[in-house]
């Protein structure tokens, strides 16, 4: 079992839909990171959170420390949101990555 | 502002040939530096990390090596590439604290033929 698990593995949505990607972790972490990887491979850091909730534009990330669970939400999804979303737990100066959720938003 | 540069973006190398991928960071000092690999259909895996010049920690045994000759330079090398070395290689840096953010390079797609 991976220390950081994401679900779903693949997700197809229609433009405008509300999207949720889930992440559970079984190790102690100091911070939870959400990353976005575009088809070319480049990775962008979306959020880093250690408690509560953060919002940036149409993206919202939440974390429940007690339940060791985090969610990434995308409101009013758009085809340009299509990418792989990766959850990673920060621990002892390193990141432990989930395998990613491949999101495809259809127009 | 801090930036990270990684090159080349794409590389096709024959089996048995050497490899050198370079990563440099600007706008910060004494960063933690990382090399990750993403094999096809798999998640990111830490290969090496460095907390200072000449200090390299290896996470996965393999025929790759890393060096940090300067504070903001991190190099991934191999003397003889294997087919299994194909993948997407990412360099990253962080300030190294418990809640530091990470900044990733643009990646190198290596195909060993």
């Amino acid at each position: 079992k991976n220390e950081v698990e994401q679900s779903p593995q693949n997700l197809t949505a229609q433009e405008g839909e509300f999207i949720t990607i889930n992440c559970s972790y079984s190790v102690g972490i100091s911070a939870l990171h959400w990353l976005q990887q575009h088809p070319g491979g480049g990775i962008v850091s979306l959020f880093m959170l250690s408690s509560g909730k953060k919002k940036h534009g149409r993206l919202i990330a939440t974390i429940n420390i007690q339940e060791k669970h985090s969610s990434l939400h995308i409101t009013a999804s758009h085809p340009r949101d299509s990418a792989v979303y990766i959850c990673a737990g920060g621990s002892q100066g390193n990141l432990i990555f989930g395998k990613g959720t491949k999101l495809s938003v259809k127009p | 502002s801090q930036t990270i540069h990684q090159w080349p973006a794409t590389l096709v190398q024959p089996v048995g040939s050497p490899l050198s991928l370079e990563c440099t960071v600007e706008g910060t000092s004494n960063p933690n530096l990382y090399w990750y690999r993403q094999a096809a259909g798999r998640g990111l895996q830490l290969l090496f990390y460095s907390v200072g010049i000449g200090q390299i920690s290896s996470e996965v045994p393999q025929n790759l090596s890393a060096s940090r000759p300067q504070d903001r330079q991190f190099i991934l090398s191999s003397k003889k590439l294997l087919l299994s070395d194909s993948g997407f290689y990412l360099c990253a840096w962080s300030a190294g604290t418990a809640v530091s953010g990470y900044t990733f390079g643009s990646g190198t797609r290596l195909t060993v033929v």
Side-chain angles (χ1 to χ4, degrees):
Chain A
K1 183 173 164 58
N2 290 334
E3 294 170 304
V4 178
E5 294 274 1
Q6 282 184 242
S7 63
Q9 192 172 0
N10 292 283
L11 182 56
T12 301
Q14 285 298 124
E15 183 173 357
E17 286 185 359
F18 180 83
I19 289 163
T20 296
I21 299 171
N22 295 300
C23 175
S24 297
Y25 53 93
S26 58
V27 292
I29 64 170
S30 50
L32 193 289
H33 301 253
W34 280 103
L35 312 169
Q36 181 189 54
Q37 185 173 30
H38 280 281
I43 288 182
V44 174
S45 179
L46 298 175
F47 294 103
M48 181 182 67
L49 64 163
S50 52
S51 65
K53 174 180 172 179
K54 286 190 176 180
K55 184 176 189 290
H56 181 70
R58 294 180 294 106
L59 301 178
I60 303 167
T62 64
I63 187 168
N64 184 316
I65 300 294
Q66 287 73 29
E67 295 185 3
K68 294 188 175 179
H69 181 270
S70 176
S71 293
L72 177 69
H73 306 284
I74 305 175
T75 62
S77 59
H78 190 276
R80 65 174 174 265
D81 296 326
S82 298
V84 175
Y85 292 84
I86 302 169
C87 160
S91 174
Q92 297 179 337
N94 185 23
L95 291 177
I96 303 169
F97 295 89
K99 291 187 177 179
T101 295
K102 185 174 182 179
L103 171 65
S104 178
V105 182
K106 306 293 185 187
Chain B
S1 63
Q2 300 95 352
T3 56
I4 180 168
H5 303 279
Q6 186 183 339
W7 68 93
T10 306
L11 194 58
V12 180
Q13 291 284 97
V15 168
S17 64
L19 172 75
S20 181
L21 302 181
E22 190 162 342
C23 173
T24 59
V25 180
E26 294 177 0
T28 187
S29 59
N30 198 32
N32 278 15
L33 296 171
Y34 307 86
W35 277 111
Y36 294 96
R37 177 171 62 197
Q38 187 177 42
R42 303 185 67 179
L44 284 156
Q45 180 184 43
L46 177 66
L47 299 176
F48 300 96
Y49 70 94
S50 172
V51 299
I53 296 174
Q55 301 178 61
I56 309 293
S57 297
S58 173
E59 290 294 305
V60 181
Q62 62 234 315
N63 70 320
L64 299 170
S65 62
S67 62
R68 186 169 176 174
Q70 299 179 47
D71 181 45
R72 288 168 284 185
Q73 184 184 31
F74 204 24
I75 298 171
L76 182 69
S77 303
S78 174
K79 291 182 179 177
K80 287 186 177 182
L81 283 169
L82 306 173
L83 286 174
S84 57
D85 292 324
S86 293
F88 187 68
Y89 290 81
L90 274 164
C91 176
W93 79 271
S94 77
T97 67
V99 289
S100 294
Y102 284 70
T103 302
F104 291 84
S106 53
T108 297
R109 189 161 301 281
L110 171 66
T111 304
V112 182
V113 296

